[in-house]
Amino acid sequence: EDVKPFTPEKTKEIVMSLQQPAVFCNMVGNWPALHWNVEYLSAVLEGKTIQFRLGLKTVDLVPQFETSCSYVEATLEEFLAWSCGQPSCLSGPFSCYDYSKYWAYADYKYIARIFEDKPEIFQDVRWSDFGFPGRSGKESTLWIGSEGANTPCHLDSYGCNLVLQVQGRKRWHLFPPGDISFLYPTRIPYEESSIFSKVNIANPDLKRFPEFRNSTAHVVTLSPGQVLLVPRHWWHYVESIDPVTVSINSWIELDADHEARVEEAITRMLVCAIKSAENPSDGDLWLNPTEVEATSHEINLQYLNKAVSAYLKCQETSVSGQARSSSTGAKQRTNTSCKRKRREAGCEPESCTLLTQECDFPASKAEELQKIPFGPHLIQVLPESHKTSMMGAVAVESDGGDLLHENEGEQFGKLQCKRKRLLMSNDCETAAHRMDSDCSPCTSQTALSTNDLLDCLVNPRVISLVAQLLLERMRV
């Protein structure tokens, strides 16, 4: 009886071709996962503890990176009691953290891991409705947060992202790939597949980062039952705006990921080599908590070689497929499956790398968008008006009565399953607001630091060029 506005085939076509964020409505009405509120998940987990990241609600000019947060192990029942201000939490794991001052976030929780003893629950998530048969909760990630919970603005190196909002609302601030220079990218703290922005989107320091004025924010509030498409390499800053929020996401692999993995392997080699050469007692928290350890040069070199081999194998398969198609005269070109490596300054025909099956690039972006069935079931996330304040809202009404605001958002992103390093703090006043010395402006400092060098050396634009040169060398 549950009729979807788009067939799985059409939905996948939209997901794989649309190069701007959009919200799907009325696509998940029959998903059992819509009942995954915190109370339900608490009962399913039966007292199992998970790690929460805690940060201060006060807004500073410096992003609150994960290295400057505190971490606790707690049950969802304890999290609910704390978020409701119940006295029972005074002696629990959240006892040192005043709810009025802190937010808590159980982020990047791989459903396959936390529900490993209850695999039947994986089928509550049905990405087959979006054209990805067999993809369920097993390939998805869970996010549970309190009001104010957020992740610094970043882009995911791999894939595109589908995000289902289950409980509460989240505000997403999205920026196109071409805004990279306006967002001042950095790889410190280092985390594979995440490129962070030095700008605190919630309170930008325009004196340090004046080019941020030129960025174009696409902002939307995601409500329960809606699914957000975050296209490849779109920057995003996400914040929970209700007392309790629950989200589920899945990253969709793309052929372009092969080149991205080469770039990430190069970055890992350089960052680990240079940072590991520093005095380990200098207190520089350069490794993000999502990274277990700084891997050795030998391991990083193996990783790079595997990434290059996978890329070349993909290219050989693509070329041989094109040759067979051409020789039989049955060549079929489709705009809907076309993905190109996005470049900051635009895509020139001779410099673009075709990374998927053969296809023709649309004559214009307008022509491409005309083929997308926007309407009450698929809502564009439009650029924020320059006439409104940087965090101002413009409402767009969906046919379900929900309000989508052009200034709302959330973050997810890794294709690889990584273990969160447990950073337990015994001191209640630990630096939930600590920052690296490099992060704060210091007018008296004239000497360059290691991080200053790394910011330039592993800038995404530099790494992209190095990867192209390296792959050309391998082809020769």
Side-chain angles (χ1 to χ4, degrees):
E1 297 265 336
D2 186 64
V3 179
K4 313 286 185 185
F6 306 112
T7 64
E9 295 75 19
K10 183 61 180 178
T11 309
K12 182 176 183 178
E13 179 183 308
I14 295 170
V15 169
M16 301 302 281
S17 64
L18 187 56
Q19 295 300 307
Q20 70 173 64
V23 176
F24 288 93
C25 301
N26 308 310
M27 283 292 293
V28 297
N30 63 339
W31 287 25
L34 284 183
H35 303 295
W36 284 21
N37 56 35
V38 176
E39 290 84 357
Y40 171 79
L41 293 172
S42 177
V44 173
L45 287 173
E46 300 175 322
K48 184 176 183 179
T49 61
I50 56 178
Q51 189 183 71
F52 286 85
R53 176 166 60 94
L54 292 109
L56 285 170
K57 289 184 176 180
T58 54
V59 181
D60 199 352
L61 291 173
V62 179
Q64 200 163 175
F65 291 118
E66 293 174 49
T67 50
S68 63
C69 291
S70 297
Y71 294 82
V72 301
E73 290 280 332
T75 65
L76 285 183
E77 186 178 7
E78 290 168 329
F79 166 73
L80 273 176
W82 174 75
S83 63
C84 295
Q86 294 180 14
S88 60
C89 67
L90 296 178
S91 59
F94 293 102
S95 59
C96 293
Y97 305 95
D98 186 338
Y99 178 75
S100 65
K101 297 179 181 179
Y102 288 88
W103 48 258
Y105 208 5
D107 49 359
Y108 294 108
K109 303 306 175 193
Y110 289 90
I111 293 174
R113 182 174 300 154
I114 61 176
F115 295 111
E116 58 186 352
D117 57 338
K118 296 180 174 63
E120 64 277 4
I121 203 173
F122 300 161
Q123 303 310 314
D124 287 4
V125 182
R126 303 173 178 175
W127 296 114
S128 56
D129 286 340
F130 283 75
F132 302 97
R135 186 177 289 261
S136 65
K138 188 176 181 180
E139 297 81 23
S140 303
T141 312
L142 183 66
W143 308 72
I144 302 171
S146 66
E147 184 178 359
N150 66 83
T151 306
C153 182
H154 71 285
L155 70 78
D156 302 321
S157 303
Y158 309 139
C160 63
N161 195 4
L162 288 173
V163 187
L164 166 65
Q165 194 62 28
V166 176
Q167 180 179 2
R169 296 168 300 154
K170 282 183 172 178
R171 178 172 296 135
W172 285 75
H173 296 257
L174 302 117
F175 301 85
D179 279 4
I180 185 169
S181 61
F182 307 145
L183 292 165
Y184 299 85
T186 181
R187 296 312 299 260
I188 303 294
Y190 172 73
E191 173 184 325
E192 191 206 345
S193 82
S194 289
I195 302 175
F196 292 102
S197 168
K198 294 181 184 178
V199 182
N200 184 354
I201 304 302
N203 188 27
D205 186 346
L206 297 178
K207 289 184 178 179
R208 280 191 76 195
F209 310 114
E211 290 298 312
F212 181 67
R213 292 186 180 92
N214 298 321
S215 65
T216 304
H218 296 237
V219 194
V220 65
T221 299
L222 201 63
S223 297
Q226 296 175 335
V227 176
L228 173 66
L229 166 64
V230 181
R232 182 173 187 264
H233 284 182
W234 273 71
W235 296 80
H236 44 282
Y237 166 81
V238 190
E239 181 181 9
S240 296
I241 60 175
D242 283 331
V244 175
T245 63
V246 176
S247 306
I248 299 169
N249 88 291
S250 189
W251 289 283
I252 308 301
E253 300 85 352
L254 302 171
D255 284 346
D257 293 344
H258 289 291
E259 184 173 345
R261 291 187 192 283
V262 175
E263 295 175 0
E264 286 297 298
I266 296 170
T267 301
R268 174 179 284 275
M269 283 195 72
L270 293 173
V271 173
C272 288
I274 292 177
K275 294 301 291 184
S276 298
E278 283 189 323
N279 183 352
S281 63
D282 64 4
D284 181 11
L285 299 178
W286 64 274
L287 196 65
N288 214 44
T290 49
E291 291 293 325
V292 179
E293 61 185 356
T295 45
S296 69
H297 183 78
E298 182 181 3
I299 291 176
N300 290 336
L301 186 59
Q302 292 175 7
Y303 181 30
L304 175 60
N305 276 286
K306 288 180 180 179
V308 171
S309 296
Y311 172 86
L312 295 175
K313 184 177 180 180
C314 177
Q315 294 298 296
E316 290 172 5
T317 303
S318 178
V319 170
S320 62
Q322 291 179 21
R324 285 195 302 270
S325 179
S326 178
S327 63
T328 59
K331 180 187 278 186
Q332 248 186 333
R333 299 176 178 269
T334 67
N335 288 335
T336 57
S337 65
C338 184
K339 303 288 288 181
R340 285 179 182 263
K341 177 78 176 176
R342 306 291 286 182
R343 306 293 178 190
E344 178 197 28
C347 214
E348 296 298 328
E350 63 273 13
S351 64
C352 277
T353 306
L354 191 59
L355 294 175
T356 59
Q357 297 178 357
E358 48 189 332
C359 53
D360 290 326
F361 199 68
S364 68
K365 187 172 182 179
E367 179 181 323
E368 178 184 313
L369 291 178
Q370 284 179 357
K371 300 177 182 178
I372 302 296
F374 292 118
H377 306 295
L378 181 65
I379 302 173
Q380 296 186 68
V381 180
L382 298 172
E384 188 177 32
S385 170
H386 291 290
K387 296 180 181 180
T388 62
S389 65
M390 196 160 294
M391 303 292 277
V394 180
V396 179
E397 190 171 353
S398 71
D399 76 329
D402 293 319
L403 286 181
L404 295 177
H405 292 78
E406 291 181 4
N407 61 336
E408 326 263 300
E410 161 84 61
Q411 179 279 356
F412 316 115
K414 310 316 153 243
L415 290 182
Q416 298 190 115
C417 188
K418 301 184 203 164
R419 294 171 293 161
K420 274 278 190 182
R421 183 177 58 183
L422 181 60
L423 298 179
M424 298 295 290
S425 171
N426 296 322
D427 182 1
C428 291
E429 298 302 320
T430 48
H433 203 227
R434 183 177 60 234
M435 67 186 77
D436 295 346
S437 58
D438 313 33
C439 294
S440 55
C442 182
T443 55
S444 61
Q445 181 178 355
T446 55
L448 290 172
S449 67
T450 303
N451 287 0
D452 292 326
L453 172 62
L454 273 177
D455 267 341
C456 299
L457 189 61
V458 296
N459 182 287
R461 288 172 290 174
V462 175
I463 293 297
S464 178
L465 177 59
V466 172
Q468 290 176 43
L469 293 172
L470 191 65
L471 293 170
E472 286 176 9
R473 176 185 294 266
M474 289 300 295
R475 292 190 191 100
V476 173

